[in-house]
Amino acid sequence: MTALRRIQKELADITKQPIKGLSVDPNEDNLFEWNCSIRAEPDSPYKDGTFRFKVVIPSSFPFKPPTVTFLTKVYHPGINDEGHICVPILRDEWKPAITMSTVLSVVQEKLNNPSPDDPFEPDIAAQLKNDKSKFLATAREWTKQYAHS
């Protein structure tokens, strides 16, 4: 099975070269499911927060992208209430050459650096654009409430 071999190689690569601030814990019974977490960077609106998310890799990987779902509630223009994250490489920009390390790095970057462009949550994006201090206060409040370590 091609997908499983690729996943095993990718896990080995991530173990050899871990991504700072990110942990990956593959499900022992099913390597197609990973439990991950991101420790937000100190200059992020989410600093001091640890955000858990699940990665589900399809059996058609690497021809179809993995699904990333945040389990920790986050006040973010690019992550909706169901925990889905809006990043182009997980949709129309997916290519089989994209590695799981790249996917995880992009998810980490998106969490730490919210942008009002290409939002999943237009109201939060508008607030980030028009009332950044209120956005930051709400992001900090949610981080304290849901993403404490």
Side-chain angles (χ1 to χ4, degrees):
M1 177 179 221
T2 316
L4 184 58
R5 274 199 307 277
R6 167 87 181 253
I7 291 167
Q8 288 168 327
K9 180 196 178 310
E10 300 239 9
L11 277 168
D13 291 347
I14 291 167
T15 304
K16 272 186 245 147
Q17 291 189 307
I19 301 165
K20 187 178 185 304
L22 197 132
S23 72
V24 176
D25 183 22
N27 183 333
E28 285 179 27
D29 301 329
N30 179 1
L31 290 182
F32 289 82
E33 286 185 15
W34 300 2
N35 295 305
C36 305
S37 66
I38 294 171
R39 179 84 179 142
E41 293 172 0
D43 59 349
S44 161
Y46 310 101
K47 71 177 180 201
D48 299 328
T50 299
F51 297 84
R52 295 184 10 244
F53 63 98
K54 180 185 227 162
V55 176
V56 177
I57 303 166
S59 56
S60 52
F61 182 79
F63 303 104
K64 294 271 187 268
T67 305
V68 173
T69 309
F70 272 79
L71 306 172
T72 304
K73 261 182 88 125
V74 56
Y75 191 76
H76 193 291
I79 302 169
N80 69 11
D81 274 349
E82 288 84 50
H84 300 289
I85 186 166
C86 187
V87 288
I89 69 160
L90 294 176
R91 298 186 325 244
D92 46 343
E93 292 180 19
W94 177 257
K95 292 175 181 57
I98 295 172
T99 65
M100 288 304 296
S101 283
T102 300
V103 168
L104 295 170
S105 294
V106 166
V107 168
Q108 182 180 41
E109 169 70 19
K110 180 83 168 188
L111 173 74
N112 279 307
N113 300 292
S115 161
D117 307 326
D118 192 23
F120 244 13
E121 294 290 337
D123 294 345
I124 297 174
Q127 187 183 57
L128 173 57
K129 211 178 241 174
N130 304 321
D131 190 352
K132 192 168 183 179
S133 61
K134 187 164 191 214
F135 165 80
L136 291 171
T138 307
R140 278 193 292 272
E141 188 53 45
W142 280 40
T143 299
K144 271 190 211 126
Q145 194 171 346
Y146 302 110
H148 47 277
S149 316

